[in-house]
Amino acid sequence: MNVTPSTTSRLIDSAVYTGGRRYASPESLAETYRCLDEQDAAMAWIGLYRADAGQIASLAREFKLHDLAVEDAITAHQRPKLERYGQTLFVVLRAARYVDSREHVEFSELHLFIGPDFVITVRHGEAPDLAAVRRRMESDPAMLARGPEAVLYAVLDQVVDGYAPVVAGLENDIDEIETEVFGGDPKVSRRIYELSREVIEFQRAARPLLGVLENLAAGYAKYGTDEELQRRLRDVSDHLTQVVERVDGFRHLLQNILTVNATLVSQ
């Protein structure tokens, strides 16, 4: 069941998997719980868009989610982080996408609950494209059979891959600003400021994610993380490091551009 997101909360997709293959596609949370109970060694993957308090409360009762994580999932506006409550991971991610028509970066928040036999995703914006993540995982049953941690890897990979077009868009905007500065455009100061704010916001989305990946890596041995997942998560970490370094460079470059522009204006 794929539904186009709207401003209202809704169940986007819910599935129960056995052996990496979709066993059932329940149309409600209650039906999902029943299907999961019917199957041994099954995994539920529940995707919600702007979940309301009632939906979160139902999930909290069924999967024994921690009160603090539940509160965060309802209110949103969290920094990227990873917290472990017993056997359940609570992960907050911030996705980004570059809107060409407005030369603007949009940010959105994603919360994940990862348990022994369930994955719950709560999306508070249009990105990332979790339907694409699900299709990719369902096309690779061997990977999906690795369980909830494999889904977490796939979502992290999607979020970090989504940063690449943002980096390219920001780089193009900075090139244009450099041209405008030396062309004497009187509006360039405002654009430098607005772009600097976007770069800072991007840093706040991407840099803390390095800590999330480091914390996951620190638990590999203790929690018996699959070796293939370890390798793939290291690849995600490498890509994220490159993004963070590029964005840090953008911030320094914009500071230099602002200084040059102030000097030209004073002259």
Side-chain angles (χ1 to χ4, degrees), residues 65-109:
L65 306 179
H66 196 278
D67 291 346
L68 293 176
V70 168
E71 183 180 345
D72 285 348
I74 293 173
T75 58
H77 305 297
Q78 303 293 317
R79 288 173 60 85
K81 63 181 180 179
L82 179 150
E83 294 175 342
R84 189 177 293 275
Y85 299 98
Q87 290 185 299
T88 302
L89 282 177
F90 176 60
V91 183
V92 177
L93 305 174
R94 293 197 67 203
R97 64 172 184 164
Y98 186 82
V99 183
D100 284 313
S101 60
R102 294 190 287 125
E103 295 186 333
H104 175 68
V105 182
E106 288 186 352
F107 298 92
S108 56
E109 199 166 316

Side-chain angles (χ1 to χ4, degrees), residues 3-6 8-10 12-13 46-51 73 76 93 95 108-112 120-131:
V3 183
T4 301
S6 73
T8 60
S9 64
R10 64 182 62 205
I12 299 297
D13 196 355
I46 301 166
L48 295 165
Y49 179 79
R50 299 188 188 279
L93 305 174
S108 56
E109 199 166 316
L110 172 66
H111 299 168
L112 298 95
I120 302 164
T121 60
V122 182
R123 193 156 49 88
H124 292 274
E126 304 309 312
D129 184 356
L130 294 183

Side-chain angles (χ1 to χ4, degrees), residues 182-214:
F182 291 103
D185 189 331
K187 298 179 182 179
V188 72
S189 295
R190 180 177 181 83
R191 192 177 181 196
I192 294 171
Y193 173 77
E194 291 173 347
L195 188 55
S196 295
R197 296 304 306 168
E198 288 188 344
V199 167
I200 291 170
E201 191 70 13
F202 195 15
Q203 283 182 310
R204 290 172 177 167
R207 180 171 285 282
L209 189 49
L210 288 172
V212 170
L213 292 170
E214 288 173 1

